Amino acid sequence: MNRPFAGTGALIRFNLRLDRVRILIWTLAIGLGVWASVVALDEAYPTPESLAARGQLMDNPATVIMTGPAFSLDHYTFGAMVANELYLYVLIPAAIMSILLTVRHTRADEESGRLELVRALPVGHFAHSTAAIVTVAIANVLVGGATAGALIASNMAAPDSLAFGLGTALTGMVFASIAMTAAQVTEHARNVTGVASGALAVAFLVRGIGDALETGGSWLSWFSPFAWAQQTKVYVDLRWWPLAVSVAVIVVLFAVSFSLARRRDLGAGLRAPRPGRARATRYLLQPWGLADHLIRGTWIVTTLGIMFFGVAMGTLVSNIGDMLDANPSLRDWVALSGTDLSGEFAGLILQYVLLAPIIVATSSVLRMRQEEGSGRLAQLLVAGRSRSGFLASWLGTVLVYTVISTVLLGISVGAGVAIGTREPDRIDDLQLASLTYLPAILLIASVAVALYGLIPRFASLAWALVTWVVIVLFLGGLLKLPDWAMNISPLTNTPAYPTDGFDALPLFIMGGITAVLVVVGFLGFRSRDLHA
């Protein structure tokens, strides 16, 4: 066809119809999260003295790495704090959303064969790629607009809020362009996601190290897409020109991806794939081996990344006393009683990092639904594997990784606390404390097991409990949620060892509920039809 962009409009409408729920959830989640966070910060830091105390934390390199460059420390304003606390943690979800949407509408479509069907229609050579770019751009515009709207609704300065939203949208598009370029190189969607996610991790580290080298950011910071947004200095000394760097990189990378797309065949990548084994190993032929192969990478990357976060946040424990002296209202926000400030704050950090095994365990259980839908599960069962054996092998693999990551994350927080307080015994205390949360983590994941076994179509509802756990952890105290609502979260019912002693009864109860839910999942999985 001589018209390379023919059919682009129809494909854009098709993509938006497919993604209308996803984009709506991303937009509402980020917009409401920004609004709630600003309201929470306003209540937690009501006075200039409390803001000044918060600003003093920016002398800690760990804080700078985990938030952003320090601006206006001699006159630390509420706006400067909002930028420090929020900007990076809005940019990261926007980047992740952009990567997932780009991979979904490019390499994933190509790998599954759907693009070949589309190409059989009267559409141009670049129509599919262009439609993917426009779809991701619309999603980023909505997310950026929701971010800016939430900030303005929270009485933040309008021009800076618009720059905040624009920076969010452009950063998302930078990572979309990286994913689009990677999609031309490799022929597997999984590899594209890995490359783009790796670029995100590198951007995080480069920006963090660069900002820690020099107050306000160093030359190294400018090699990270996150810095191009954060260096706009919103709510401090607004400047728009750093966003031009994002625009230039987006244009160049999309141009490169279109140029590379001309040089390869449909379904192939520029990098020739390595020939695989003629026969699968005995390891891969086992259900547990397949589960290990599919989920191991995510576990390793997530655990290592959160361990870094745990160590960095753990070092802040030594500053908690000064923070509360300067800002007593912060005590209500983080729900500290004051009997053992270091221990209580370390326990709070531990709960934050343990969200990682909760999320990854739930997603690993739900991965079975994807295997079932692709038909690979049916192939295993036809080869003689029993349903119960497959489910037990898969859940056993998830259990092993959950235990390992829980222990490692406890050690990481303990190591950070030990560095900050110079009390090595904290490592053992936090390691044991992390194990007391294991029944709660497994209980949350077992909800996914029961839903998948009984009604796989609604298995995604397991994320509702995960979402509620996050809300209770971050906003439960500030919103003054009633006890019954707080107790829905299994983390709330876990003894705060070692500050509150050890009580085995809640752990046994949660273990019993977990066992019942897993049995329900087994019974449902054995009796229902497979969906493919």
Side-chain angles (χ1 to χ4, degrees):
M1 174 172 285
N2 294 326
R3 296 182 299 157
F5 297 98
T8 302
L11 289 175
I12 292 172
R13 291 192 294 274
F14 180 65
N15 289 345
L16 292 176
R17 180 174 177 77
L18 289 177
D19 287 342
R20 61 189 186 282
V21 176
R22 289 183 177 83
I23 294 174
L24 179 64
I25 290 175
W26 278 104
T27 302
L28 290 178
I30 293 177
L32 291 175
V34 168
W35 175 80
S37 298
V38 175
V39 172
L41 290 171
D42 190 32
E43 290 194 22
Y45 297 91
T47 64
E49 291 77 14
S50 62
L51 289 173
R54 172 63 183 80
Q56 290 176 3
L57 281 179
M58 298 305 293
D59 289 335
N60 189 322
T63 306
V64 173
I65 291 173
M66 302 310 299
T67 58
F71 297 126
S72 186
L73 292 183
D74 54 343
H75 179 58
Y76 203 62
T77 62
F78 181 73
M81 184 187 63
V82 167
N84 277 137
E85 295 281 354
L86 281 186
Y87 214 167
L88 184 61
Y89 294 101
V90 174
L91 297 177
I92 291 175
I96 293 173
M97 177 197 72
S98 302
I99 291 171
L100 295 178
L101 289 178
T102 302
V103 174
R104 170 178 163 81
H105 291 298
T106 54
R107 182 52 72 175
D109 275 352
E110 201 165 337
E111 188 176 0
S112 66
R114 287 190 292 269
L115 181 55
E116 190 171 3
L117 294 175
V118 172
R119 286 282 186 88
L121 301 171
V123 299
H125 185 74
F126 294 129
H128 187 265
S129 299
T130 306
I133 294 172
V134 174
T135 303
V136 179
I138 291 173
N140 276 294
V141 167
L142 292 174
V143 167
T147 301
L151 289 166
I152 294 172
S154 305
N155 297 320
M156 304 300 292
D160 300 75
S161 300
L162 292 174
F164 198 121
L166 181 59
T168 301
L170 289 176
T171 303
M173 289 306 296
V174 169
F175 284 95
S177 64
I178 292 173
M180 179 69 80
T181 305
Q184 314 308 321
V185 178
T186 178
E187 63 182 43
H188 297 295
R190 187 177 174 187
N191 292 344
V192 178
T193 303
V195 170
S197 300
L200 190 153
V202 170
F204 181 92
L205 289 176
V206 168
R207 195 275 323 153
I209 296 172
D211 289 349
L213 289 176
E214 188 176 330
T215 302
S218 66
W219 61 270
L220 183 61
S221 305
W222 289 90
F223 286 92
S224 169
F226 293 128
W228 305 333
Q230 290 185 303
Q231 287 296 332
T232 53
K233 295 185 177 181
V234 291
Y235 306 118
V236 176
D237 182 18
L238 179 60
R239 52 183 185 180
W240 295 85
W241 65 264
L243 297 178
V245 181
S246 299
V247 174
V249 170
I250 292 168
V251 172
V252 169
L253 286 181
F254 277 137
V256 169
S257 68
F258 273 76
S259 175
L260 295 178
R262 286 179 172 273
R263 304 168 186 267
R264 67 178 182 86
D265 295 328
L266 183 66
L270 290 175
R271 186 180 67 86
R274 291 182 301 175
R277 294 174 178 268
R279 293 178 177 273
T281 62
R282 295 182 63 183
Y283 154 77
L284 271 180
L285 292 175
Q286 304 299 322
W288 64 267
L290 175 64
D292 178 62
H293 178 74
L294 292 175
I295 67 179
R296 182 179 58 223
T298 302
W299 277 99
I300 292 174
V301 171
T302 304
T303 301
L304 291 179
I306 301 300
M307 284 180 68
F308 174 77
F309 177 82
V311 172
M313 294 301 293
T315 60
L316 298 178
V317 167
S318 58
N319 301 105
I320 186 61
D322 295 336
M323 290 168 57
L324 293 176
D325 289 341
N327 184 17
S329 61
L330 191 61
R331 194 183 297 272
D332 297 330
W333 190 25
V334 294
L336 299 177
S337 65
T339 55
D340 178 9
L341 284 179
S342 297
E344 289 181 74
F345 191 57
L348 187 66
I349 295 172
L350 182 62
Q351 290 188 30
Y352 290 155
V353 301
L354 290 182
L355 289 175
I358 289 174
I359 294 171
V360 180
T362 302
S363 65
S364 297
V365 171
L366 297 180
R367 178 65 190 263
M368 287 189 291
R369 187 173 174 232
Q370 183 178 342
E371 293 305 299
E372 183 177 338
S374 67
R376 285 188 287 268
L377 172 55
Q379 293 174 7
L380 274 175
L381 298 180
V382 169
R385 307 294 177 187
S386 69
R387 291 194 179 200
S388 296
F390 168 80
L391 191 56
S393 298
W394 191 287
L395 297 182
T397 306
V398 174
L399 174 63
V400 169
Y401 277 114
T402 302
V403 173
I404 292 173
S405 63
T406 300
V407 172
L408 289 178
L409 291 175
I411 293 174
S412 71
V413 176
V417 175
I419 293 171
T421 61
R422 297 182 180 178
E423 298 175 4
D425 293 344
R426 295 284 187 178
I427 297 178
D428 292 335
D429 290 342
L430 270 299
Q431 181 183 353
L432 292 175
S434 67
L435 288 174
T436 64
Y437 284 98
L438 197 54
I441 296 171
L442 297 179
L443 171 58
I444 297 168
S446 67
V447 174
V449 176
L451 287 170
Y452 169 71
L454 280 177
I455 40 176
R457 184 179 178 186
F458 297 103
S460 297
L461 290 177
W463 289 114
L465 178 59
V466 177
T467 303
W468 184 248
V469 169
V470 174
I471 291 174
V472 168
L473 181 58
F474 284 91
L475 300 173
L478 191 66
L479 297 177
K480 296 181 173 56
L481 294 175
D483 289 343
W484 66 265
M486 297 282 285
N487 288 332
I488 293 175
S489 169
L491 295 187
T492 306
N493 297 289
T494 302
Y497 178 83
T499 55
D500 291 346
F502 182 77
D503 183 3
L505 181 59
L507 306 185
F508 279 117
I509 294 175
M510 286 189 280
I513 297 173
T514 301
V516 170
L517 290 172
V518 171
V519 170
V520 168
F522 267 84
L523 293 176
F525 184 64
R526 290 179 58 183
S527 59
R528 67 172 173 83
D529 294 332
L530 292 183
H531 300 276

